[in-house]
Amino acid sequence: MKFLKVLLLSALFGAVFSGKKCKCKDEIEHLQNQIDALKPDEDMAWQSLHMAAAAACRGSTAAGGSGSWANAVFAKENTRSCSQVCAATHWSICDADVSISGYLGKAYSYTQRLGHFYNYGCGTPGNTHVNFDEVKANGGDVFKDHTTYNIYYRFCCCRK
């Protein structure tokens, strides 16, 4: 991002000092749009995490998720158990409490660690650290990893 800001300033200074007529407002807007297009998409990252949580729930349940209704995944509040979270919804039966994380970037080795998972069970709050609570997180926190102390996000796997 710093590189792009330097590039933007260099282009503006170059236009001003070269004697060219500069439509600075238009050029700034154009360059800002290019910078914005390069920013990671937070919503897509959260959706990817939610899809991974649904897959983790599917794999964590004895019957792979059962019942005549679609099962549901909810963000787990750090101070409550998943039994409590599920009970507050239409999907009142807890099947699992999954904690998942994944590292940024593509895998380049079959021995490269790509993420982490844990199942705390339905009856306990488990690890109550606030960093594992998606609802209390900032939007950009989805891009944090073990180096910035967002190792896991926790989800409740619930059914009717």
Side-chain angles (χ1 to χ4, degrees):
M1 191 56 75
K2 288 181 183 180
F3 172 76
L4 293 172
K5 289 179 182 176
V6 169
L7 181 65
L8 171 66
L9 288 173
S10 297
L12 290 174
F13 283 132
V16 169
F17 291 116
S18 69
K20 293 181 185 176
K21 234 180 184 181
C22 175
K23 297 179 183 177
C24 292
K25 184 177 179 182
D26 292 340
E27 287 185 31
I28 291 171
E29 186 176 335
H30 175 71
L31 289 170
Q32 186 62 50
N33 289 339
Q34 288 180 320
I35 290 170
D36 289 343
L38 296 173
K39 290 180 182 174
D41 187 334
E42 288 178 11
D43 288 336
M44 190 175 293
W46 285 114
Q47 181 189 21
S48 296
L49 182 62
H50 298 154
M51 291 169 66
C57 285
R58 169 65 171 83
S60 294
T61 57
S66 61
S68 56
W69 300 92
N71 301 301
V73 177
F74 296 96
K76 187 200 170 293
E77 188 174 353
N78 64 307
T79 57
R80 297 193 307 156
S81 71
C82 277
S83 289
Q84 293 169 318
V85 171
C86 293
T89 73
H90 293 291
W91 294 266
S92 60
I93 301 168
C94 176
D95 279 332
D97 167 348
V98 296
S99 301
I100 59 172
S101 74
Y103 295 160
L104 295 173
K106 181 189 175 312
Y108 291 97
S109 163
Y110 296 108
T111 58
Q112 179 182 347
R113 186 171 44 173
L114 304 175
H116 305 270
F117 66 93
Y118 198 83
N119 185 345
Y120 287 97
C122 291
T124 175
N127 188 331
T128 59
H129 199 291
V130 71
N131 280 11
F132 302 160
D133 187 325
E134 177 182 339
V135 174
K136 295 175 183 170
N138 293 317
D141 287 354
V142 70
F143 299 111
K144 291 184 177 180
D145 63 14
H146 70 286
T147 63
T148 52
Y149 202 65
N150 264 44
I151 299 173
Y152 297 101
Y153 280 106
R154 295 185 58 195
F155 301 94
C156 298
C157 310
C158 308
R159 64 183 165 88
K160 287 189 176 191

